[in-house]
Amino acid sequence: MTILAVGAAGQFAGLVVPALAERGARVRGLVRKPEQAAEATRRGAAEVAVGDLRDRTSLDRALRDIDAVFYIAPAFLPSEAEVGKGMVAAAIDAGVRRFVFSSVIHPVLGGLVNHAAKAPVEEAVLNSDLEYTFLHPTLYFQIYADPWPKIIETGVLSEPWSIETRFTRVDYRDVAEVAAIALIEDRLRYGTFELCSPGNLNRREVAALLTEILGREITPMKSDPGALGDIPDAMKTMFDHYEHHGLLGNPLTLRAILGREPRTLRAYFEELASARTPVE
Ligand SMILES: NC(=O)c1ccc[n+]([C@@H]2O[C@H](COP(=O)([O-])OP(=O)(O)OC[C@H]3O[C@@H](n4cnc5c(N)ncnc54)[C@H](OP(=O)(O)O)[C@@H]3O)[C@@H](O)[C@H]2O)c1
């Protein structure tokens, strides 16, 4: 059995490759550029296919002799719904049996393109004979990795929406573990699973947690969304939504699937803190 893993060199999607390899699965990692092949291999892919989700010929090549697909849409990809439906069609034509889609929490949020664009992809799968699992993860812990050095340097935790809105979050390594179970075992077949770690901190509380872990004051701030320059309209709409409503979900499903407590934001921050020396 060979599994095609989309985004095999990606910051989040790439975490699915080791989760599969650790379970003895044979992974063909899909990467966009040849220079990303080494990263997919380092993560545990036995084979690499270079292809673009918008290029059907490259997808047909990548899908040859594939039994199951892990699919994730690259963030804010234009025409995300059409690209996703194209991937489903290519998988069907290639004779793929199982399709695991890392979607998003609340795809019914029609005003948010990055949520709503996932619903037609799920619909296309539901209108096929594919075995499927839909994963609905909330905000990833890993989005703190890029700004981490700046948080340490400045002592400021800043995002372009209100300090008060609350978010449920999840460690994408837990999502990757669920994806691997869905691809290899049968127990998650035909399921749609909201994936959240416990807790729903606002930025004030996240900063307080960081202050405790780092032993120095971290100040929560709201940055000016207008100062972000040229960003996709869908991202502006998302920040506007986050100004008024966060993303809230429930950890029960993730806990039940993993058979243990989900990873916590505290543990994730402790990992980041021990990996880098704070600059005073
Ligand atoms: N961030 C969150 O908290 C969160 C929460 C829930 C759901 N989500 C969803 O999770 C997804 C995350 O996407 P991401 O991009 O941030 O993940 P990612 O882990 O960076 O993976 C995306 C991968 O796809 C590759 N890629 C980009 N365009 C491609 C194309 N046309 N054809 C083939 N591969 C392509 C990227 O390669 P390059 O490096 O070459 O671009 C990258 O390796 C989004 O759908 C988002 O809505 C995010």
Side-chain angles (χ1 to χ4, degrees), residues 28-73:
R28 182 181 299 164
L30 182 76
V31 297
R32 185 153 61 141
K33 304 167 203 136
E35 59 268 29
Q36 293 166 325
E39 177 61 18
T41 306
R42 189 188 67 76
R43 288 172 183 263
E47 311 167 28
V48 175
V50 178
D52 193 301
L53 292 166
R54 298 161 299 187
D55 172 6
R56 176 64 193 254
T57 308
S58 71
L59 282 188
D60 289 343
R61 221 175 19 240
L63 284 162
R64 213 168 284 153
D65 302 321
I66 286 294
D67 303 287
V69 168
F70 168 77
Y71 177 65
I72 187 167

Side-chain angles (χ1 to χ4, degrees), residues 6-14 30-33 36 51-54 72-77 80 83 102-105 114-115 118 137-141 143 172:
V6 171
Q11 186 188 2
F12 315 117
L30 182 76
V31 297
R32 185 153 61 141
K33 304 167 203 136
Q36 293 166 325
D52 193 301
L53 292 166
R54 298 161 299 187
I72 187 167
F76 298 104
L77 186 73
E80 180 183 328
V83 171
S102 187
S103 177
V104 70
I105 192 167
N114 53 321
H115 288 242
K118 291 172 172 71
T138 184
L139 208 63
Y140 308 153
F141 292 172
I143 64 168
Y172 200 81

Side-chain angles (χ1 to χ4, degrees), residues 26 158 216 260:
R26 183 175 179 81
S158 176
R216 56 180 284 227
R260 60 164 171 81

Side-chain angles (χ1 to χ4, degrees), residues 8 17 19 25-26 34 40 46 52 58 63 74-75 83 87 121 128-129 136 148 159 163 166 171 229 246:
V17 179
R26 183 175 179 81
D52 193 301
S58 71
L63 284 162
V83 171
M87 182 71 196
V121 183
S128 77
D129 292 328
H136 285 185
W148 184 257
E159 287 163 320
I163 286 172
R166 294 187 172 279
D171 192 312

Side-chain angles (χ1 to χ4, degrees), residues 132-248:
Y132 68 85
T133 305
F134 299 147
L135 310 179
H136 285 185
T138 184
L139 208 63
Y140 308 153
F141 292 172
Q142 278 76 9
I143 64 168
Y144 289 111
D146 284 345
W148 184 257
K150 197 168 173 207
I151 295 168
I152 299 299
E153 188 193 338
T154 61
V156 170
L157 174 64
S158 176
E159 287 163 320
W161 60 84
S162 166
I163 286 172
E164 305 298 339
T165 40
R166 294 187 172 279
F167 289 84
T168 309
R169 299 173 178 82
V170 71
D171 192 312
Y172 200 81
R173 289 171 296 184
D174 282 349
V175 180
E177 200 172 320
V178 174
I181 293 167
L183 286 156
I184 296 169
E185 301 177 22
D186 286 341
R187 64 186 167 105
L188 302 185
R189 199 165 42 153
Y190 305 127
T192 299
F193 302 108
E194 185 170 290
L195 301 176
C196 305
S197 173
N200 55 15
L201 304 186
N202 62 26
R203 194 174 314 116
R204 198 184 298 287
E205 292 159 343
V206 173
L209 177 62
L210 284 169
T211 297
E212 194 188 320
I213 290 167
L214 296 169
R216 56 180 284 227
E217 189 71 23
I218 300 295
T219 307
M221 280 181 56
K222 178 190 167 185
S223 55
D224 175 12
L228 288 169
D230 195 17
I231 58 169
D233 286 345
M235 200 180 277
K236 290 181 195 157
T237 313
M238 184 183 82
F239 292 153
D240 187 51
H241 180 89
Y242 287 177
E243 178 67 22
H244 306 286
H245 314 281
L247 294 172
L248 296 173

